[in-house]
Amino acid sequence: EDQVTQSPEALRLQEGESSSLNCSYTVSGLRGLFWYRQDPGKGPEFLFTLYSAGEEKEKERLKATLTKKESFLHITAPKPEDSATYLCAVQGNNDMRFGAGTRLTVKP
Amino acid sequence: DGGITQSPKYLFRKEGQNVTLSCEQNLNHDAMYWYRQDPGQGLRLIYYSQIVNDFQKGDIAEGYSVSREKKESFPLTVTSAQKNPTAFYLCASSIRDTNTDTQYFGPGTRLTVL
């Protein structure tokens, strides 16, 4: 069965303190790995799609990377406005599976 | 502006009542989805529809029903048979890009059973 595990569950950073969020997955026939940002009480906002191992994508302070077993979302010099829950999802041959998310808090 | 709208934002239901959550999209996407989000869990798929007048059950369809009479609309009914309906409900639509289906989400409806 396809599975997605995100770690850590919660992460607290000081403004400017870079770090990474992890998304480990098992899937039959990876078609895409997705990262979303979700603010409290709102719907997830699409960030990136990664299609194959070795691929990287960047947007402002965020950089997503992909291997055959996991994806990392690197946050460089975060700001308080980066505080949110970050969701990872994988699409395989069967369906789409979502992780439970990592709740990021960036303190000024 | 293109996007997905959900209404209402908040909904309160008494036990034994059916309620319907609205989802509309003007993105011209063929596929639409309903998810349920509970604290500490990943999004769970309730129903999805890849084309008008057709839909399939997801992982947790019991106690829910849907219809897809128009491409733009995919309403979800939470019936009295759903044992624990209090949750945050998210509607999404997708477009196929090469071999993947990138999903875009609406703002959500928070349902509370009183």
Side-chain angles (χ1 to χ4, degrees), chain A residues 30-34 36 38 41-46 49-51 87 91 93 95-101, chain B residues 9 35 37 40-45 59 88 90 96-108 110:
Chain A
L30 179 68
R31 291 162 60 183
L33 184 141
F34 308 87
Y36 291 86
Q38 185 175 25
K42 297 187 176 181
E45 173 190 348
F46 171 73
T49 305
L50 301 169
Y51 297 97
L87 304 177
Q91 182 179 15
N93 289 330
D95 51 24
M96 184 86 82
R97 290 291 175 193
F98 284 82
Chain B
K9 185 175 176 64
Y35 290 92
Q37 187 173 36
Q41 298 189 41
L43 301 184
R44 292 185 289 167
L45 183 64
D59 298 322
F88 190 49
L90 288 161
R96 175 144 294 194
D97 175 19
T98 60
N99 196 33
T100 61
D101 299 295
T102 300
Q103 295 185 15
Y104 297 87
F105 287 85
R110 184 164 299 280

Side-chain angles (χ1 to χ4, degrees), chain B:
Chain B
D1 285 338
I4 303 172
T5 58
Q6 291 186 242
S7 62
K9 185 175 176 64
Y10 299 99
L11 186 58
F12 298 90
R13 190 195 93 172
K14 294 182 179 179
E15 287 193 14
Q17 285 183 334
N18 293 353
V19 291
T20 297
L21 283 59
S22 170
C23 177
E24 303 278 333
Q25 55 100 0
N26 61 3
L27 300 169
N28 199 34
H29 289 173
D30 287 318
M32 297 186 73
Y33 312 80
W34 274 105
Y35 290 92
R36 170 180 172 139
Q37 187 173 36
D38 296 282
Q41 298 189 41
L43 301 184
R44 292 185 289 167
L45 183 64
I46 304 172
Y47 269 97
Y48 66 100
S49 168
Q50 294 180 317
I51 196 169
V52 174
N53 293 322
D54 187 46
F55 49 83
Q56 287 77 42
K57 293 181 178 180
D59 298 322
I60 57 166
E62 185 176 350
Y64 300 97
S65 65
V66 294
S67 63
R68 187 86 186 276
E69 298 177 0
K70 299 186 300 182
K71 186 175 183 177
E72 301 79 16
S73 179
F74 191 40
L76 173 74
T77 296
V78 184
T79 75
S80 57
Q82 169 50 234
K83 299 302 180 188
N84 184 22
T86 294
F88 190 49
Y89 290 87
L90 288 161
C91 177
S93 67
S94 71
I95 186 168
R96 175 144 294 194
D97 175 19
T98 60
N99 196 33
T100 61
D101 299 295
T102 300
Q103 295 185 15
Y104 297 87
F105 287 85
T109 292
R110 184 164 299 280
L111 173 63
T112 302
V113 174
L114 303 174

